[in-house]
Amino acid sequence: KIEGVSIQYNPNDKTITIPADAKSVTVYNLLGGLVLNKTNPENQVQLPELQKGIYLIALTDKAGNNTSLKINL
């Protein structure tokens, strides 16, 4: 688990800001459907057009540690 990780969502440009050492970011809806999967992402990740709701974000850092967070849009 990655300690102390937070994700910032910007509704104006529909981006999330993730830690700089992220190796991959994956976004799922609450039904488990894959919304986004990026490897070696930039610090800001553009999200596709999403409906309001709760989404789960799985992050993996370069050391191979994993964590999951949720965002509410």
Side-chain angles (χ1 to χ4, degrees):
K1 180 171 176 142
I2 307 170
E3 297 295 327
V5 172
S6 66
I7 292 177
Q8 304 297 320
Y9 175 66
N10 183 339
N12 294 325
D13 60 7
K14 296 179 177 43
T15 60
I16 53 172
T17 302
I18 60 173
D21 67 342
K23 180 179 177 185
S24 69
V25 59
T26 308
V27 180
Y28 300 95
N29 62 27
L30 280 185
L31 298 175
L34 180 65
V35 174
L36 175 80
N37 187 23
K38 287 206 177 248
T39 304
N40 298 317
E42 299 292 325
N43 186 251
Q44 288 199 350
V45 176
Q46 182 76 39
L47 294 178
E49 199 62 40
L50 299 175
Q51 296 181 7
K52 288 184 178 183
I54 298 172
Y55 293 85
L56 303 176
I57 299 176
L59 291 173
T60 303
D61 68 11
K62 292 183 168 107
N65 300 310
N66 300 304
T67 198
S68 296
L69 301 151
K70 69 177 180 176
I71 58 171
N72 190 359
L73 304 181

